């Protein structure tokens, strides 16, 4: 076994530990071919119990993509590795092709990981240096400059990058010694992509001037990672006190902190919810436009597919929701009604909210988003819907998610919340008991 083989095996043994089920991201390129070959050799020599699976992502961006699938299938057949691939659709309108393709890959990885299985990917030392420079170009702080950790939590399991300490040149030596064949993606020569521009034009100059530049960058990334880990430890107790059981973040205590500490806590709150790290401008807007907005406002700030909202002096991270205000659902009360946007279902039951039963000529519908004055059971005077929602503690973004029961054009009930005077059961009237099962539909 050669020197590079020995060092790679030591690294692999240290990272794998007792893990036996491994999913490998396999593009068929040099890096992932070396990784898969290394894992196959590890399995064959040291641990026959290891279960290897290789997944190839078909991005559909290259006319040779189908050929690449066949290549990867053949390699896995030869090496006795379970292989499967998945096609993805890339939407580059918001993030660009590179970021969109990466997001698509990792969404598939997350979905396909099995119980007790870890994900292993093939990023190497030069990739780490490029990632650091890209983060520097974006103006990232220590969290971004930490780049890629060799071991990270991912999808309730682990993501390992065992090649992260090895240069592309070392991987080429390994591949040559073992006679490996790999795919050369011609799009890697297109320097309109930021990473390719660095790889083709900048990194060669830096390596020529400073031969150990990637190793130095990796050390800087590790130091940034250590600083972030230290901040995590120092701020963990403060963050726990600020975050409620429902994941909302208390605003008032943050007002007494320095801007630096407040921003660090806001970043970690967003990270707690799995969000990408915000820019400095986003944090500034979050604080001044949402947290400190006027008392009667209902502010929001978009973060990807979520909104940050303020309610009851807390910050909430809310998924962007399908508008329901114009939806009208006819309901035959003899049957279960499936609600839109995974809101659950309605049915007549022995438990639930009680309203008068409809008479023969009344059309029963479910609608969403009531506004205006109304009189409800238990209140002497009519009140505006906004005041009622506030009184019952319904957050602004949930008010359009409450099913509203109508007979003809008359509101009978906001199900689970209140019954109007028109829906009240009078003596001698038939009763309708409506159960709202809020369990999200599969």
């Amino acid at each position: 076994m050669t020197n590079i083989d020995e060092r790679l095996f030591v690294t692999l043994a240290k990272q794998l530990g007792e893990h036996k089920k491994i999913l490998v991201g396999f593009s068929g390129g040099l890096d992932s071919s070396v990784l898969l070959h290394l894992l196959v050799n590890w399995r064959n020599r040291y641990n026959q119990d290891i279960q290897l699976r290789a997944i190839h992502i078909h991005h559909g961006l290259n006319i040779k993509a189908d050929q690449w699938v066949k290549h990867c299938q053949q390699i896995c057949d030869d090496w006795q590795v379970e292989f499967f691939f998945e096609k993805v659709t890339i939407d580059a309108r918001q993030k660009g092709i590179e970021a969109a393709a990466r997001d698509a890959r990792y969404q598939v990885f997350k979905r396909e990981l099995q119980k007790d299985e870890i994900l292993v990917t093939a990023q190497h030392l030069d990739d780490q240096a490029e990632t650091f420079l890209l983060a520097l170009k974006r103006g990232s702080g220590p969290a971004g400059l930490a780049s890629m950790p060799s071991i990270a939590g991912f999808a309730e399991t682990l993501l390992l990058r065992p090649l992260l300490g090895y240069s592309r040149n070392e991987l080429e030596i390994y591949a040559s010694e073992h006679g490996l064949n790999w795919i050369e993606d011609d799009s890697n020569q297109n320097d309109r992509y930021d990473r390719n521009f660095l790889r083709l034009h900048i990194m060669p100059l830096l390596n020529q001037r400073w031969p150990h530049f990637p190793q130095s960058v990796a050390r800087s990334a590790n130091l940034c990672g250590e600083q972030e880990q230290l901040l995590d430890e120092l701020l963990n107790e403060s963050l726990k006190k600020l975050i409620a059981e429902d994941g909302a973040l208390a605003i008032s205590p943050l007002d007494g902190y320095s801007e630096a500490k407040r921003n660090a806590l806001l970043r970690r709150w967003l990270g707690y919810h799995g969000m990408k790290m915000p820019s400095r401008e986003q944090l500034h807007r979050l604080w001044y436009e949402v947290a400190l907005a006027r008392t009667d406002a209902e502010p929001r700030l978009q973060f990807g597919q979520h909104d940050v909202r303020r309610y009851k002096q807390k910050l909430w991270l809310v998924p962007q929701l399908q508008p329901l205000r114009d939806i009208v659902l006819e309901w035959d009360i003899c049957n279960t009604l499936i609600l839109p946007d995974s809101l659950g279902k309605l049915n007549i039951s022995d438990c639930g909210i009680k309203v008068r039963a409809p008479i023969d000529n009344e059309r029963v519908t479910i609608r969403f988003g009531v506004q205006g004055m109304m009189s409800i059971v238990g209140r002497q005077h009519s009140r505006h819907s906004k005041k009622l929602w506030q009184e019952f503690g319904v957050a602004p973004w949930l008010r359009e998610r409450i099913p509203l029961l109508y007979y003809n054009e008359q509101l009978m009930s906001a199900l689970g919340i209140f019954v109007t005077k028109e829906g009240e059961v009078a003596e001698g009237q038939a009763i309708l008991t409506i159960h709202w099962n809020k369990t999200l539909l599969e």
Side-chain angles (χ1 to χ4, degrees), residues 9 24 30 56 60 62-63 69 76 87 102 112 170-171 173 191 241 244 247 277 292 296 334 336 385 396 416 419:
F9 273 133
V24 185
L30 168 68
H56 176 86
N62 193 297
I63 59 173
V69 172
C76 288
K87 290 186 177 182
R102 181 189 183 281
E112 295 295 340
E170 289 175 300
L171 302 188
I173 291 172
D191 63 8
K241 293 176 182 177
M277 286 298 97
L292 300 186
D296 61 343
C334 295
T336 296
S385 57
V419 175

Side-chain angles (χ1 to χ4, degrees), residues 94-95 275 282 301-307 320:
Q94 289 189 344
K95 300 182 178 180
M275 303 296 292
Q282 284 176 312
L301 182 65
Q302 182 175 346
F303 274 83
Q305 299 301 311
H306 290 72
D307 290 326
Q320 291 180 354

